[in-house]
Amino acid sequence: MVNFIWVGLTIIGLIFAAVNGKMDEVNEAVFKSAGEAVTICIGLVSVLVFWLGLMRIAEEAGLLKQLARLFEPFARRLFPDVPSGHPAMGYILSNMTANFFGLGNAATPLGIKAMEELKRLNGGKAEASRSMITFLAINTSSITLIPTTVLAIRFSYHSASPAEIIAPTICATACSTVAAIAIDRFFYRRRKKREEK
Amino acid sequence: MAWLSLISMWLIPGMIAFILLYGTFKKVPTYESFVEGGKEGIHIAVSIVPYLIGMMVAIGIFRASGALDSLVEWVRPLLLWIGLPPEVFPLAIIRPISGNAALGMVSDLIAVHGPDSFIGRLASVMQGSTDTTFYVLTVYFGAVGIKRMGDALKVGLWADVAGFIAALVIVSWMF
């Protein structure tokens, strides 16, 4: 999908440029954009190094585990099909906590582990279970506390207040997560009704 | 919305202080751990260079040729009716498909309109408040061999729409 969009953007752009006689601007844009991308990545190094370094301390101090314990009663309601004390719940919780702190790379392997356990709970079927869909819905709606990469970009473009978007981002994230759970429940009910018929 | 700005301002310093003190209290070798974790950050930053270059060059061409203006002009009435700045529209399309590509678009929007413009802020919040639905689905289901996704894709995409609307409403209301 992303392949088509990428090629589409470029080719449509080139055709437009040919028709509108804007090849000069396009030539300039190619090198300017590439240079800008590199500048952004250099800006990202500073924030990512600092943040992931800090998070490593949090992880080793056991903060992530503490937080996972805090989320547990909440998670048990979200995943009624997962028996308490099952390893799936542990992985789900640590995945959510890692995401919460913006540790995408740490979250992914934990999420895959959670999926494996959920598949086992579902009898190893190649079909998505109810808990799997709920888990994915929460993951795709993102539950990040601090959007580090966005902060870095705002910083490198000299925002007067790079951090001002944190609170609105948390609010929007909370809304999208609540919506994701509601939408997930809605589709679950619909499936149930169909099965009953 | 002074209190929201206040939270934004205090959250990072507060977390730094808390984590450092808690780590010290738990006898974590703080500085060594920090350096170890930080190395991962360099790896991530370097690994997204090609994603950003690829997408930003494509967008650069698309914009310089006048194609973006035409597209935006074409959907403008509908978007204005919703209240979404037409410039942000392509970001909403690509956000569920590729996170790094979307990051390229956010950078582009911020570079053109400025980080403190309405568009810059909205793009920032949109990027931060949803995740790459297609990527999450492919990675998680792919890794454990789930072939029938059920309603997962539908749920994920509707959640993205909800997130975008939330971002738009909150940013309009706050700034």
Side-chain angles (χ1 to χ4, degrees):
Chain A
M1 185 87 139
V2 71
N3 297 317
F4 287 112
I5 292 183
W6 188 57
V7 174
L9 277 175
T10 314
I11 300 300
I12 292 170
L14 292 177
I15 293 169
F16 254 82
V19 173
N20 295 348
K22 288 202 171 171
M23 274 308 167
D24 257 352
E25 285 91 332
V26 165
N27 274 311
E28 199 194 318
V30 169
F31 295 103
K32 221 182 105 199
S33 309
E36 240 165 56
V38 174
T39 315
I40 288 168
C41 290
I42 293 170
L44 280 179
V45 170
S46 57
V47 174
L48 283 177
V49 166
F50 184 75
W51 197 247
L52 289 174
L54 207 62
M55 282 310 131
R56 181 65 63 94
I57 300 174
E59 202 182 332
E60 284 180 18
L63 262 177
L64 263 64
K65 277 200 190 106
Q66 291 269 336
L67 207 77
R69 210 167 296 153
L70 209 73
F71 281 148
E72 197 174 349
F74 177 66
R76 216 175 285 149
R77 297 191 132 205
L78 278 177
F79 299 96
D81 291 356
V82 180
S84 71
H86 193 276
M89 192 58 91
Y91 287 124
I92 289 174
L93 284 168
S94 24
N95 166 271
M96 281 163 75
T97 332
N99 267 327
F100 190 65
F101 281 122
L103 298 168
N105 280 26
T108 307
L110 291 166
I112 292 172
K113 275 286 187 197
M115 274 293 173
E116 276 173 4
E117 293 297 333
L118 288 177
K119 193 184 177 188
R120 198 166 299 156
L121 267 177
N122 198 29
K125 279 182 263 177
E127 193 181 333
S129 69
R130 179 196 175 182
S131 306
M132 286 180 185
I133 298 175
T134 309
F135 181 60
L136 275 180
I138 293 171
N139 251 288
T140 59
S141 72
S142 153
I143 33 173
T144 303
L145 182 61
I146 292 175
T148 31
T149 42
V150 174
L151 272 183
I153 291 171
R154 295 177 60 78
F155 186 76
S156 50
Y157 282 106
H158 311 291
S159 166
S161 173
E164 71 181 1
I165 51 99
I166 293 178
T169 303
I170 294 174
C171 293
T173 290
C175 289
S176 76
T177 306
V178 169
I181 294 168
I183 294 164
D184 172 55
R185 284 284 192 270
F186 169 76
F187 276 105
Y188 171 70
R189 295 239 168 84
R190 217 180 58 164
R191 280 200 300 276
K192 273 244 127 162
K193 262 190 191 160
R194 275 190 190 158
E195 276 165 20
E196 277 164 12
K197 271 177 192 169
Chain B
M1 292 306 111
W3 57 277
L4 274 183
S5 306
L6 209 67
I7 294 175
S8 294
M9 194 171 78
W10 277 89
L11 193 62
I12 291 178
M15 277 185 76
I16 294 174
F18 179 70
I19 289 170
L20 290 184
L21 290 174
Y22 193 81
T24 310
F25 176 69
K26 288 275 172 180
K27 301 197 171 59
V28 173
T30 43
Y31 188 63
E32 278 101 329
S33 303
F34 174 83
V35 171
E36 270 314 304
K39 284 177 187 163
E40 204 187 319
I42 297 181
H43 179 75
I44 295 174
V46 171
S47 68
I48 64 172
V49 172
Y51 292 97
L52 278 184
I53 292 186
M55 198 43 77
M56 285 187 80
V57 169
I59 299 167
I61 293 173
F62 195 72
R63 184 156 33 76
S65 68
L68 183 65
D69 290 338
S70 301
L71 172 77
V72 163
E73 217 39 64
W74 192 55
V75 286
R76 183 183 289 275
L78 175 71
L79 297 175
L80 284 182
W81 184 69
I82 309 171
L84 186 77
E87 292 81 357
V88 184
F89 176 68
L91 175 63
I93 302 289
I94 210 150
R95 184 70 188 97
I97 297 164
S98 166
N100 288 323
L103 194 63
M105 284 200 177
V106 172
S107 318
D108 190 68
L109 285 171
I110 287 178
V112 174
H113 300 279
D116 300 322
S117 62
F118 180 72
I119 290 174
R121 284 166 172 158
L122 180 61
S124 307
V125 174
M126 277 169 69
Q127 174 75 7
S129 62
T130 56
D131 211 324
T132 322
T133 301
F134 281 93
Y135 171 81
V136 174
L137 238 69
T138 327
V139 170
Y140 285 5
F141 279 162
V144 298
I146 298 292
K147 302 237 164 57
R148 290 180 56 197
M149 292 194 184
D151 292 328
L153 182 62
K154 267 183 277 176
V155 173
L157 289 179
W158 278 114
D160 287 336
V161 172
F164 292 149
I165 295 172
L168 181 63
V169 170
I170 291 165
V171 173
S172 316
W173 171 71
M174 191 177 155
F175 297 109

